[in-house]
Each structure stands twice: as structure tokens, then as C-alpha cells.
Amino acid sequence: MTRVPATKRTQKSLENLDESFIHHLNHTLAEDSASATTLAKYFALSYAIRDLIADRWLHTKSIIFNRRDLRIVNYLSMEFLIGRLLYNNVLNLKIEKHVEELLEKYGLRLEDLIPLEEDAALGNGGLGRLAACFLDSLATLGYLSYGYTIRYQYGLFKQLIENGYQKEEPDDWQKNGYPWEFPKPEEAVVVKFFGRSEVYTDENGWLKFRWVDTYNVIAVPYDIYITGYNSEIVSVLRLWQPKAISEFNFAEFEKGNYEKAVAEKNFAEKICKVLYPNDAFYQGRELRLMQEHFFVSAALQDIVRRHKKRYGTLDNLYEGEVIQLNDTHPALAIPELMRILLDEEGYGWEKAWEIVSKTIAYTNHTVMPEALEKWEAPLLQHMLPRHYQIIEEINARFLKDVAEKFPGNLQKIVNMSIFEEGHIKKVRMANLCSVASFSINGVSQLHTEILKQSVLKDFYEMYPEKFNNKTNGVTQRRWLLESNPPLARLITEAIGDRWITDLYELRKLEMFLDDTSFLERLGAVKRWNKERLAKYISEKLGITLDVDSMFDIQVKRIHEYKRQLLNILHVIHLYNEIRDGKLPEVPRTFIFAGKSAPGYRMAKLIIKLINSVAKVVNEDPVVSKYIRVVFVPNYNVSLAQIIIPAANVSEQISTAGTEASGTGNMKFMLNGALTIGTLDGANIEMLEEVGAENIFIFGLKADEIEEAKRKGKYNPFGIYMDNVKIRRILDMIRTGYFNPDEPELFVDIFENLLYGKYAPMPDQYFVLADFESYAETHKKIEKLYQNPVEWNKKSLLNIARSGKFSSDRTIEEYIADIWKSKKVYE
Ligand SMILES: *Cc1c(COP(=O)(O)O)cnc(C)c1O
């Protein structure tokens, strides 16, 4: 296929962008330019840009239905944390100059319109942001792809901090409307729930099953076209919204049953009311299972319909489509596809199973037991009786294979069975995925090794060929080009702009390692970003920051395993040192941000502790000269784009063996922060890339933690008794030093560390074990910061060697090893 350069396609329509803007303002919004609000102008501009994107979609669509040699990637994910789209689209379409000129005529600047867009926060954290980066990379690289998820009415809650406590508010992200989506009601499908599985004999005398007496809901797709940089190909993010088949039942209304008259509508509306706000934690709620089935069933019907349209048969579904499961949340894709093939398309079990197991691949995102999905069998059986029956059959056939492969080994059967027996029988979704998928991947080298050696060990022995690693990545379009304009400019001036689509190009920056003027300019860029953040914090929180101080930043979901507690304990240690007259050599600002799950007691208490320490530190006239602590509320993608570029130091301090990969770590590295981190997740690969002199590694290693746990030999109480510094810090927490009004408030943190009051063991995340090593490493960082040339050199090296951590690299690996798709244009 001959290629029309993407710029040409844009150029033609660009000539009309001014007209288009006015057209949308006058006719789509019925406003005139004199009296229209800035918000209306934001919408008009977005609609004008959306028109350019719609052209790309029509082009992409024609390829989808004309090129049967291209396999389509389907990324099924409960979360897509896409953030704002206006500036992202402007950059990807390369129309920034044009848009600026257009807006100038109306006395507007792009930077005034950008913040008017609500973040689409359809995700919790890393897992959802990964899915968003993947669609960006797929479109940029020119692969055909669909992301499937739910159109949540309320995205992840908005976080307020009141009196140091997290407070949640609903995120009604569509309250002003949303310009980037296209409803496609003609492509709606029906999703079924409940009912029962009925056996019957078909016209050929075969025994068949059908799912009957179901409760049905319509699923309506809303499409967001995700642009790629300088690419004509868009990815489709398809959000499914439930709708009642009959919104109003007149018969019931006539009988005086108003509740019954609107029951269907209420049912449909509640399914996708809200995103579950847990990150890396499983909560077995009926409504959550409904959400999972709802979007998976809609997606599968969509994929099947498209494949039939392209090929006229499902025999070769796996040649035209591949389905990647982002964690086990969409695992019901397995029985749902089996059901469609068996019950609706007339396939026999063997062929149906072949199709399913050649189409579906699984990404594991965590090894922490509390995050593994295990649905209660009776719940699943009640909501999805036919799926349950299919899972039973999958399991029966699988266990026969296990018994053949490991004769007489009952333990293997117990470990690998999809069902966990017990008082209440459970369905282990990771086992279901491992049985049915042709590929099982972890998201960093360490994580994949841990999967093979512990969590999925038996599956690895059974199917070693299925296992592979795909280290996560982030898109440099959003996390450098968009979020850090002065750094992007500096880099492009130095080495050209090819890094935007080939991040390994950044290696060329090593030429400037001894160029003091370049290092100074790099320092000036960091300063600009720190000033931008300081301005934001000053405006939002009324706190003044010293931009000469070292910005030491930990932003991510608040979770015990991520150890914000270790960070704040260390801050208390510095506070004590200063009070003792041991003054630090460089002033430091410790910045925190992140949301806790609303029901996660410990995490919420840690937020309160951070804010309590912040108050004491910042209000102390002596201490606040040397250290300051800020908790920035409502961490989300837009805020990350302001915070991350301002970091001198990136805190990646999870207990070794707990963070599957991390992607925040990569964003910081790309923006020139130096990392203090454990040998966990992708930190290990960052160390490999950047070299030990350019990253600050501390703490126990994953195998050491593992061993200490296994042998039960970890004794945090001993550390408390032996280590004066630690005892002093913990006693301050226990006795209410930071919270004199309510001195008992943090006793639970103390008791959890020393006695494991709310955990399987004392200090289960080894905070005290790693404290000394962490504090010593911070001293080294402090030393280095006093030498700006050396610091900036290491900062430059971090940027120059971050090429591996582009999601473009990750996607090319998925393509080569799992998806085997081809680019539209070779
Ligand atoms: C990147 C990102 C994350 C993931 O951060 P980790 O440090 O890897 O946990 C979470 N939330 C947002 C908004 C992000 O942009």
C-alpha cells in the first residue's frame, strides 16, 4: 500500500481549521466568538481537531476491512488511564504552530484551554496508564489495534486533603460533555446475565447447550480514536456503556409499580456507575464481576463480528485477531469465547478450544496474594451459569492432561486446578488464564522470574514455552514531548527529533557529557520545571517552595508495599538530626502525592502521617530552613505531567519482589531525575542500562526478603531495640509527637511494624530492615547534589540511557513474540 504522508493528510484539512473552529463554535455549540466562554472555545477547538482525527479513523477503518493480512491487536483492560487528550492530539498531529496562530486571533493561548479538559481517569494507576501508553505506541508504530474497556460514569475519585486526611469526591468527568468520543449505537450488542444452561439435541442429533431465561442489557460502544505521532493510523479505544433494553415498562407503570417500571434502567445504570478504586487489591464484589463480564462479552461479540466480516468464518479467528488480557480482570473472555463458538457458532469442543487458546494471551501484573482474583464459585455460577459450566469442562480436561504429565502427583492437581476447594469453592482466575492462553508474560525480568519460580511455578513446568517477559515502557510523546517542553526542545536542538519515535536516539546525548554549557542548560531546564511545580503548589496550597532545594519526589498510589512509610520515617530522622544541630548540607523538599483506596485503613493513616509530619516540619522555623514536606492532592495523569519533570530525585523504594515493574520509575528517568531505589521491578533494568554509578540502589534483595520470610527469621522488634535512631522515630509516632491533639492516632502504624497487628507478620514490607541502608544512601545523594556538574552529568546519562523504557520497544516485543502482527506500512 502506498503511503500518503501523514503530514499531507493533515495539511489539506489544516487549511480549513480556522473555518472549522468557527463552524463548531457557531453551529455545533451555537455560540458566537464574542460571547463564548473559554470552555466553549475549548470544545470548538477540540471538535475541529477531532474532525482531523475522524479522517484518520476512516482511513484506518478502510485498511481494517481491506487488509486481511494484518492481524488486529485487541487489548482488553478494565482500565485505560488516558488523561487529557487536547495537547496530546495537537502534538501527535504536529499542528501546534497552526493551532497557536488560530487561537491568537481570539486572544487565546493553548495553555489556557488545555486545563479546561477533565482528565479521563478511567483507571487507578500503573496498569491503566500502561494500557494508555500501549495504544499511543500501537498507533504511532502503525499497527491496527483496539482497546476495550468500560465507559464508567464516574472515574477514579477526586482526592481532597482535609485536616491531613484523604477525602473522596466523585469524578463526574463527563459533566460538561466530552469532545473526544463518538457514540456508535448501531454497533450495540446484547449482553446476558443470570438465567440457566439448558441441554438439548440439535437437528443433527448432537447434544448441545444453550443459555436461556437470561436478563439482558444492551452494550453501546463509544469510540475514542487514539492518535499516533505523525501517523495516519489511529487506535480505537472502545468504551462500552450499558443501556436497558426497555427503559420504561408501561405495563408495570399502569399497575402502579413505578419501581418495577424502571428496574431495567436502574440495573443497566448501576453496572458501570463507578470504577472500583482498588489498585493491586482484589475485592470479590458481585457488581465488579458484572462489570468484568459486561465489557468482555461486548468486546468478544465485537471482535467475532468484525472477524466474520473480514473473513466470513471464525475457523481462523487467531489469524485475524489476537486478544491480550491486561491482568485477569478480563479472564471471562475465555469462557465467553468458548460459549460463542460452541453454543452460537456450532463448533465442537476441540476446534473451539483450539481457536480460543490460539487467540488469547495473558499478562500477569502482580505476585502479591491479596491481589489475585478468586471468585466465589456460587456467585459466578449464579451470574454466569453457562460460563461456569464451560470453566468446569476446561478444568476437567486440563486436569486429565496434568495427571498424564505428572502421574500420581496429586499436589500438582491441587495447585493447578482452576478451582480452589474449601468451605467456599473459588475460581482462580490466574489459573484459568494460564491454562487457556498461548502466552503468559510478566512485566519486568525480575517479575517474570518470580512468576516462573513461585506463583505460576507449576504452570511453568507444564508449559515452559508459554512464558515470556515484556518489560513495561512509557510513551515518550506524553512523558517527555508533552510534559517537559523545554527538555524536549533542548534534546531536539542537540540531536534532532528522531527520539520522538525512536527513543534509543537519546544515546547520542552522551556526546554532551563533558559539554559544561550543555550541562548548564540541562540544569536550567530542571529549574524551569521546578519553578512550574512550585507555582502550581503555591497557587493550590499556598505553600512556598525553595526551588534551589533538592526536589525529592515520591508519587504513586499509596500502598504499604510501595513504602511511603519508609520515606516519611526518613524525613522524621532528618528532622531529628536538624533538631540535634546536625544540619544537612543541602536543603531538601520532599514531595508526595497519591491516592489510597477509600477502604484501605493503613494507607489512609500513612497519608495522615505524612501530612502531620509536613505540618510540624514546615512550621518549625529552624527545621523548615532545611527541609520541607508537601503532599500534593489528587495525583492523576495531568498532575504527574507537572510533578515528574521537576524531580531531582525519584523515590522507587518498594520492598524487593513486590513491584512487578513500575512505570513511574521510567518517567522520572526520562526526565532526568536520579533514582533512589530497591532492586525491584524494572529498577533492576534501569540499573543495567545506566550503570551503578548513576543510580542509588539500597536495601535487601528479593531473594533475601524471600528467605527471611520463609525461615521466619526477620525480627523488627530487635531492630527497634538495637537501633537508637529507629527507636526514637517510632516512639515519636507512638506517643503522638506529630499529632498531640490525638496522640494515639498513629499507634496502629507502630504496632503493625513491631507486632504485625494488622498483617500476617510484623513489618511485612521490611521497612525497618531497609532503613539504615536507605538513610546512608540518602547521605550519598546529598553529597552529590552539592556538585552540580557531576549531578547534571548523571542526570544527562539517565536521560541518554532511558531508550529501553519506551513503550514503543515494549510493543515491538509484544508484536515479535506474541501478537505477530504487521505494520500497515512496512
Ligand atoms: C505512571 C503513573 C502511575 C504508576 O506509577 P508507579 O510509580 O509505577 O506506581 C500511577 N498513576 C499515574 C497517574 C501515573 O501517571
Side-chain angles (χ1 to χ4, degrees):
M1 193 165 211
T2 51
R3 176 168 200 162
V4 188
T7 41
K8 220 175 216 171
R9 189 177 297 278
T10 318
Q11 230 54 55
K12 217 166 141 331
S13 330
L14 255 187
E15 289 155 22
N16 307 319
L17 195 70
D18 295 35
E19 279 172 43
S20 181
F21 172 74
I22 283 299
H23 163 79
H24 283 295
L25 193 63
N26 295 162
H27 303 110
T28 308
L29 299 159
E31 298 286 347
D32 57 68
S33 56
S35 70
T37 61
T38 317
L39 183 66
K41 288 169 189 161
Y42 154 76
F43 272 96
L45 178 65
S46 298
Y47 286 133
I49 291 168
R50 191 178 84 148
D51 290 351
L52 306 181
I53 297 170
D55 287 339
R56 281 172 165 69
W57 158 242
L58 294 177
H59 173 68
T60 303
K61 184 178 167 184
S62 80
I63 293 165
I64 288 173
F65 290 104
N66 288 307
R67 290 279 303 274
R68 304 203 317 181
D69 59 319
L70 301 176
R71 192 189 251 181
I72 298 173
V73 174
N74 296 281
Y75 202 75
L76 269 58
S77 178
M78 285 289 272
E79 306 186 12
F80 279 85
L81 194 46
I82 58 178
R84 289 178 179 144
L85 292 183
L86 174 57
Y87 194 36
N88 193 246
N89 284 329
V90 166
L91 289 172
N92 280 345
L93 299 174
K94 300 180 77 168
I95 57 174
E96 185 172 17
K97 277 221 170 68
H98 201 100
V99 170
E100 291 281 13
E101 282 167 20
L102 180 160
L103 291 177
E104 210 184 308
K105 294 177 198 159
Y106 302 93
L108 289 168
R109 286 176 318 174
L110 195 46
E111 63 191 83
D112 300 323
L113 299 191
I114 290 167
L116 299 181
E117 179 174 351
E118 291 275 336
D119 267 51
L122 309 183
N124 276 288
L127 174 145
R129 183 54 232 178
L130 183 75
C133 284
F134 280 3
L135 292 188
D136 175 293
S137 285
L138 281 159
T140 298
L141 297 168
Y143 296 103
L144 299 181
S145 66
Y146 278 76
Y148 285 102
T149 192
I150 292 168
R151 189 170 182 264
Y152 301 103
Q153 188 185 339
Y154 295 100
L156 184 60
F157 65 87
K158 292 195 167 159
Q159 179 195 55
L160 304 178
I161 299 296
E162 284 184 2
N163 186 30
Y165 290 100
Q166 166 173 303
K167 197 180 149 203
E168 301 88 17
E169 281 199 342
D171 169 45
D172 190 2
W173 63 290
Q174 300 246 15
K175 62 177 177 290
N176 298 323
Y178 187 71
W180 302 112
E181 64 178 2
F182 293 83
K184 298 276 171 173
E186 288 179 303
E187 296 180 49
V189 297
V190 173
V191 175
K192 305 177 189 182
F193 296 88
F194 306 111
R196 60 195 168 85
S197 177
E198 182 178 81
V199 65
Y200 70 103
T201 314
D202 74 2
E203 58 275 19
N204 304 315
W206 290 98
L207 206 62
K208 291 269 184 186
F209 291 91
R210 58 186 165 212
W211 188 13
V212 298
D213 297 340
T214 53
Y215 194 91
N216 299 347
V217 172
I218 299 173
V220 183
Y222 289 70
D223 290 347
I224 300 176
Y225 304 119
I226 303 294
T227 54
Y229 184 82
N230 198 25
S231 170
E232 292 159 82
I233 302 304
V234 294
S235 296
V236 182
L237 175 54
R238 182 152 263 208
L239 315 171
W240 293 97
Q241 159 135 314
K243 183 176 152 47
I245 291 177
S246 154
E247 302 241 323
F248 195 81
N249 186 326
F250 282 96
E252 292 292 348
F253 184 65
E254 286 303 324
K255 284 190 259 169
N257 290 328
Y258 184 77
E259 286 301 315
K260 277 195 181 166
V262 293
E264 270 192 56
K265 184 173 194 296
N266 290 343
F267 178 81
E269 282 178 1
K270 87 172 175 199
I271 295 178
C272 299
K273 182 66 76 179
V274 65
L275 166 77
Y276 276 89
N278 298 309
D279 189 67
F281 182 79
Y282 164 70
Q283 217 183 354
R285 292 296 186 57
E286 181 177 11
L287 198 61
R288 166 77 176 201
L289 187 63
M290 261 183 213
Q291 292 187 339
E292 294 185 355
H293 170 64
F294 171 75
F295 99 93
V296 162
S297 173
L300 261 295
Q301 293 181 62
D302 199 44
I303 292 165
V304 161
R305 175 174 59 192
R306 184 171 66 230
H307 187 78
K308 279 185 175 170
K309 197 167 153 193
R310 289 174 83 204
Y311 294 81
T313 173
L314 294 177
D315 292 359
N316 64 344
L317 179 66
Y318 44 85
E319 287 175 16
E321 306 277 347
V322 59
I323 297 172
Q324 191 71 41
L325 308 180
N326 197 22
D327 212 317
T328 60
H329 316 147
L332 289 169
I334 294 158
E336 174 67 355
L337 185 52
M338 283 300 285
R339 186 194 64 80
I340 293 171
L341 294 170
L342 294 169
D343 299 1
E344 293 179 5
E345 302 291 338
Y347 286 93
W349 184 278
E350 303 288 342
K351 180 64 188 171
W353 183 248
E354 185 202 340
I355 294 171
V356 168
S357 56
K358 284 182 170 177
T359 305
I360 295 183
Y362 160 53
T363 303
N364 175 285
H365 279 274
T366 176
V367 297
M368 293 198 304
E370 65 267 33
L372 297 181
E373 281 192 298
K374 294 179 188 182
W375 289 102
E376 292 184 0
L379 171 64
L380 209 156
Q381 188 171 24
H382 174 66
M383 191 185 302
L384 303 165
R386 179 66 182 125
H387 296 72
Y388 187 80
Q389 193 176 35
I390 289 169
I391 294 169
E392 287 187 315
E393 182 65 22
I394 292 172
N395 195 48
R397 289 171 185 248
F398 168 65
L399 292 185
K400 249 174 77 184
D401 291 350
V402 175
E404 251 169 55
K405 174 121 188 178
F406 305 102
N409 192 338
L410 266 177
Q411 195 56 47
K412 291 275 181 210
I413 303 271
V414 172
N415 294 348
M416 295 167 83
S417 171
I418 296 171
F419 296 97
E420 180 185 278
E421 304 297 334
H423 171 58
I424 300 177
K425 192 170 173 175
K426 305 264 175 72
V427 183
R428 300 188 282 208
M429 304 311 260
N431 292 30
L432 174 61
C433 288
S434 299
V435 173
S437 303
F438 70 87
S439 164
I440 304 169
N441 77 280
V443 290
S444 73
Q445 284 167 9
L446 174 70
H447 169 57
T448 300
E449 285 311 308
I450 294 175
L451 279 185
K452 294 197 286 194
Q453 286 158 27
S454 62
V455 188
L456 298 179
K457 180 168 183 286
D458 297 302
F459 288 98
Y460 180 56
E461 280 171 29
M462 179 109 181
Y463 308 118
E465 70 289 350
K466 287 189 183 184
F467 283 75
N468 63 96
N469 174 246
K470 296 286 165 283
T471 299
N472 284 165
V474 301
T475 166
Q476 66 266 35
R477 271 77 61 183
R478 183 171 292 261
W479 296 110
L480 179 52
L481 183 66
E482 178 177 336
S483 63
N484 196 340
L487 182 56
R489 218 173 301 123
L490 178 66
I491 293 171
T492 296
E493 280 172 22
I495 61 166
D497 68 358
R498 282 178 28 200
W499 61 271
I500 299 171
T501 50
D502 177 6
L503 202 62
Y504 284 114
E505 281 281 311
L506 294 181
R507 283 174 184 152
K508 291 182 177 162
L509 291 171
E510 291 196 31
M511 292 190 300
F512 298 91
L513 268 184
D514 296 313
D515 181 335
T516 42
S517 110
F518 189 86
L519 293 177
E520 270 170 29
R521 287 163 75 196
L522 184 64
V525 163
K526 184 58 76 181
R527 201 187 161 81
W528 183 91
N529 282 299
K530 288 166 79 174
E531 275 163 359
R532 178 174 66 165
L533 176 59
K535 182 163 176 275
Y536 176 91
I537 287 173
S538 156
E539 285 169 7
K540 295 270 171 184
L541 307 176
I543 300 173
T544 310
L545 298 187
D546 169 12
V547 291
D548 291 321
S549 69
M550 185 171 93
F551 279 20
D552 181 318
I553 304 187
Q554 186 173 23
V555 288
K556 48 181 77 246
R557 287 300 290 251
I558 310 291
H559 221 298
E560 286 168 284
Y561 86 81
K562 292 176 183 280
R563 297 201 299 192
Q564 283 90 358
L565 183 57
L566 175 59
N567 189 339
I568 199 68
L569 295 186
H570 174 250
V571 171
I572 297 172
H573 166 61
L574 294 180
Y575 170 86
N576 288 339
E577 285 198 330
I578 296 166
R579 300 270 299 192
D580 292 349
K582 202 172 163 207
L583 305 179
E585 298 177 37
V586 291
R588 268 197 260 195
T589 304
F590 293 92
I591 297 168
F592 293 83
K595 293 173 184 175
S596 159
Y600 190 168
R601 244 188 89 249
M602 266 303 157
K604 291 186 119 173
L605 199 53
I606 290 167
I607 291 176
K608 174 64 176 169
L609 176 63
I610 293 169
N611 283 304
S612 300
V613 172
K615 193 164 159 20
V616 170
V617 165
N618 299 347
E619 287 178 3
D620 185 307
V622 178
V623 175
S624 64
K625 277 192 212 142
Y626 301 97
I627 55 175
R628 280 186 191 213
V629 182
V630 184
F631 190 100
V632 189
N634 201 37
Y635 186 57
N636 62 11
V637 170
S638 301
L639 190 52
Q641 290 178 213
I642 301 174
I643 293 182
I644 291 170
N648 298 120
V649 176
S650 159
E651 297 270 352
Q652 307 300 335
I653 60 177
S654 52
T655 313
T658 62
E659 187 76 271
S661 162
T663 49
N665 46 4
M666 302 167 185
K667 299 167 195 166
F668 280 98
M669 181 186 189
L670 180 63
N671 283 275
L674 305 199
T675 300
I676 178 166
T678 46
L679 287 175
D680 200 17
N683 296 353
I684 295 171
E685 291 159 70
M686 286 165 52
L687 163 66
E688 260 171 42
E689 294 297 302
V690 82
E693 324 77 52
N694 303 302
I695 184 168
F696 295 92
I697 299 294
F698 74 95
L700 292 172
K701 297 174 182 59
D703 54 352
E704 294 168 337
I705 303 253
E706 217 277 312
E707 192 191 54
K709 274 192 190 169
R710 189 160 35 84
K711 297 191 174 158
K713 69 179 191 191
Y714 178 44
N715 177 16
F717 192 81
I719 299 178
Y720 169 79
M721 293 304 288
D722 295 345
N723 186 316
V724 198
K725 283 181 289 193
I726 289 178
R727 192 161 71 242
R728 182 172 171 196
I729 296 163
L730 294 190
D731 286 346
M732 287 163 84
I733 287 176
R734 179 174 58 86
T735 57
Y737 184 93
F738 298 102
N739 212 56
D741 296 344
E742 215 178 327
E744 309 266 273
L745 190 60
F746 300 123
V747 168
D748 281 348
I749 292 177
F750 178 91
E751 296 194 338
N752 211 31
L753 285 174
L754 295 192
Y755 314 123
K757 194 168 173 201
Y758 303 97
M761 61 180 276
D763 189 16
Q764 65 166 327
Y765 296 108
F766 291 75
V767 172
L768 303 189
D770 279 347
F771 182 87
E772 276 298 337
S773 164
Y774 182 60
E776 280 168 25
T777 307
H778 263 296
K779 288 276 178 272
K780 291 185 196 157
I781 294 176
E782 199 179 299
K783 270 248 131 46
L784 183 69
Y785 195 72
Q786 294 169 66
N787 185 341
V789 173
E790 281 307 304
W791 184 279
N792 288 336
K793 246 186 211 182
K794 291 190 197 297
S795 168
L796 182 59
L797 272 172
N798 269 270
I799 300 167
R801 297 177 182 173
S802 65
K804 175 175 175 183
F805 304 105
S806 170
S807 47
D808 297 346
R809 186 269 313 151
T810 312
I811 288 299
E812 292 291 23
E813 290 181 3
Y814 273 93
I815 293 283
D817 303 340
I818 305 174
W819 300 338
K820 319 268 184 196
S821 194
K822 288 192 302 190
K823 291 186 181 186
V824 172
Y825 304 104
E826 274 310 336

